[in-house]
């Protein structure tokens, strides 16, 4: 049961409100400071002067999960790290999104062994997978833009 | 103390001078920074000038791949249905982009220079299944004057898997 059924036909108002909310969500998406390995270097580079992620309103990498909207899992997640990743994800307030940056976070990559989680989607739901080892800063920004694109398509029905 | 203030002002002067310099930021989605000549991005399967595929399905790339990202399945060529020179061609060629580490070992292992890591790097996916690139996604379009595969060829014309190539560039 979505908001549209509860509130009746809101017509154009619903549409515009969705746009406004999605605009707000995409343009101030604060990532969680979550670099685990070499991908973190590229994640830092994407926020530094040359690629400047603050153009998309995400210059603030929050070290606290309560203040973050987006978790960029940058690097390989070991089995020991997995409970920590899950706890940090649970501590993030809704709405929250996850980008698995790089091969290791997406599917284990080259580390096909017992120590590494074969993709963080084993433990948390992932929205976007970014391939590369590590991905260029542009590739990460492209992943973020793909995420923004999917958020713009969201409607109230998806949230309710 | 005066020295301290002078040094402080000098430092602030440098900061101030950067205000008037051109910003170094690349406006990424609109303006793309050109990649280096030897950058390794997404793979492409190449073709000969006549449109035949260079890949002969030997699976050496799959053997060389440190991440086991490549899957190749070969089938027999016939003169009535020819995809590549020689006996066999790759009927299935899949690369899992989420496994691939873009090391270029496949490029080095390839005896026909069929697989080349090109300059595309924008690889983001909504799910893991869509990260598997099939042969249709990897192969380049037929060059001008060429003919799409499968081709009908004269017997004895393409017997060798590795035709006489010019020297590698």
């Amino acid at each position: 049961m979505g908001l549209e059924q509860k509130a009746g036909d809101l017509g154009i108002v619903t549409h515009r409100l969705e746009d406004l909310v999605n605009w707000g969500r995409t343009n101030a998406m604060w990532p969680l400071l979550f670099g685990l390995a070499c991908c973190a270097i590229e994640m830092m580079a994407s926020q530094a002067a040359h690629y400047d992620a603050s153009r998309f309103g995400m210059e603030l990498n929050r070290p606290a999960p309560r203040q973050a909207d987006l978790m960029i899992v940058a690097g390989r997640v070991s089995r020991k790290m997995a409970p920590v990743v899950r706890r940090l994800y649970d501590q993030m307030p809704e709405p929250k999104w996850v980008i698995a940056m790089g091969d290791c976070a997406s599917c284990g990559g080259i580390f096909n062994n017992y120590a590494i989680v074969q993709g963080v989607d084993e433990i948390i739901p992932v929205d976007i997978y970014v391939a590369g080892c590590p991905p260029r800063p542009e590739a990460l920004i492209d992943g973020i833009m793909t995420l923004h694109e999917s958020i713009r398509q969201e409607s109230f029905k998806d949230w309710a | 103390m005066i020295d301290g203030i002078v040094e402080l002002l000098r430092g602030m002067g440098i900061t101030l001078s950067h205000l008037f310099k051109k910003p170094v930021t690349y406006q990424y989605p609109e303006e793309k920074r050109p990649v280096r000549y030897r950058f390794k991005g997404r793979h492409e399967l190449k073709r000969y000038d006549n449109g035949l595929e260079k890949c002969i399905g030997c699976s050496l790339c799959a053997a060389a791949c440190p991440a086991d990202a490549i899957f190749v399945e070969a089938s027999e060529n016939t003169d009535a249905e020819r995809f590549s020179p020689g006996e066999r061609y790759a009927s299935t060629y899949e690369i899992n982009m989420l496994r691939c580490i873009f090391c270029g070992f496949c490029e080095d292992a390839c005896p026909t220079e069929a697989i080349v890591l090109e300059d595309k790097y924008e690889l983001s996916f909504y799910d893991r299944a869509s990260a598997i690139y099939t042969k249709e996604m990897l192969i380049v379009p037929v060059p001008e004057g060429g003919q799409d595969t499968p081709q009908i060829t004269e017997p004895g014309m393409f017997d060798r898997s590795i035709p006489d190539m010019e020297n590698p560039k």
Side-chain angles (χ1 to χ4, degrees):
Chain A
M1 176 120 171
L3 188 69
E4 282 175 337
Q5 278 99 19
K6 284 181 198 161
D9 185 16
L10 294 177
I12 198 161
V13 179
T14 321
H15 180 68
R16 293 284 174 239
L17 200 57
E18 276 168 358
D19 278 1
L20 190 70
V21 171
N22 288 338
W23 172 79
R25 285 182 171 186
T26 51
N27 282 297
M29 193 182 268
W30 290 356
L32 180 66
L33 193 63
F34 206 74
L36 293 171
C38 29
C39 277
I41 305 295
E42 300 293 308
M43 188 172 73
M44 287 178 236
S46 74
Q47 282 149 1
H50 277 95
Y51 299 104
D52 200 10
S54 62
R55 290 181 290 137
F56 309 101
M58 47 195 307
E59 68 272 40
L60 285 168
N61 250 10
R62 303 316 298 192
R66 307 269 185 219
Q67 300 166 343
D69 308 302
L70 172 68
M71 183 187 238
I72 302 175
V73 185
R76 63 194 109 82
V77 182
S78 62
R79 294 264 169 218
K80 273 196 166 181
M81 190 68 187
V84 183
V85 176
R86 180 70 219 191
R87 172 180 283 188
L88 286 172
Y89 177 78
D90 287 339
Q91 285 176 347
M92 281 162 66
E94 292 276 355
K96 52 192 171 187
W97 297 276
V98 178
I99 290 180
M101 180 189 180
D103 288 4
C104 305
S106 299
C107 71
I110 197 170
F111 302 107
N112 192 358
N113 59 33
Y114 64 89
I116 302 294
V117 175
Q118 296 299 302
V120 279
D121 52 2
E122 279 184 23
I123 43 176
I124 50 175
V126 177
D127 292 291
I128 299 289
Y129 302 87
V130 181
C133 189
R136 284 170 71 95
E138 290 108 315
L140 176 63
I141 291 175
D142 178 67
I144 290 163
M145 308 253 292
T146 317
L147 179 64
H148 285 182
E149 203 54 52
S150 72
I151 290 169
R152 280 196 206 99
Q153 312 292 327
E154 276 180 14
S155 61
F156 278 136
K157 280 183 199 160
D158 305 334
W159 311 332
Chain B
M1 192 190 138
I2 299 294
D3 283 356
I5 292 171
V6 168
E7 290 302 313
L8 196 72
L9 287 177
R10 186 180 292 164
M12 289 165 94
I14 288 172
T15 312
L16 192 70
S17 72
H18 275 267
L19 265 181
F20 304 103
K21 284 183 181 166
K22 195 173 169 284
V24 292
T25 308
Y26 291 91
Q27 301 294 328
Y28 162 63
E30 294 85 30
E31 174 202 359
K32 285 181 185 170
R33 188 182 197 173
V35 295
R36 298 273 175 182
Y37 174 61
R38 293 201 284 180
F39 178 76
K40 297 191 190 99
R42 184 176 78 77
H43 316 68
E44 277 182 359
L45 286 171
K46 297 292 182 188
R47 288 179 191 267
Y48 291 108
D49 288 340
N50 63 355
L52 281 181
E53 294 157 15
K54 285 192 176 178
C55 179
I56 53 172
C58 65
S59 302
L60 279 176
C61 47
C65 184
D68 280 344
I70 306 181
F71 172 71
V72 187
E73 197 176 42
S75 297
E76 293 282 325
N77 269 323
T78 55
D79 282 318
E81 224 179 2
R82 182 168 290 284
F83 288 83
S84 67
E87 285 174 25
R88 301 193 300 167
Y89 71 99
S91 51
T92 312
Y93 197 105
E94 286 173 355
I95 300 181
N96 187 348
M97 287 298 161
L98 286 181
R99 282 274 174 199
C100 173
I101 57 165
F102 304 93
C103 59
F105 282 11
C106 46
E107 210 176 19
D108 295 347
C110 188
T112 59
E113 298 181 344
I115 187 159
V116 179
L117 280 85
E118 288 290 351
D119 53 1
K120 293 197 184 65
Y121 48 78
E122 285 142 333
L123 301 161
S124 27
F125 310 101
Y126 288 111
D127 54 66
R128 275 165 72 162
S130 58
I132 296 170
Y133 274 54
T134 56
K135 190 182 167 190
E136 288 71 37
M137 296 154 92
L138 291 167
I139 201 152
V140 293
V142 182
E144 223 172 291
Q147 199 188 340
D148 200 5
T149 48
Q151 297 183 359
I152 301 163
T153 52
E154 299 276 320
M157 205 174 154
F158 293 106
D159 278 350
R160 284 165 55 84
S161 316
I162 305 173
D164 300 325
M165 286 194 298
E166 61 204 273
N167 286 327
K169 285 183 195 106

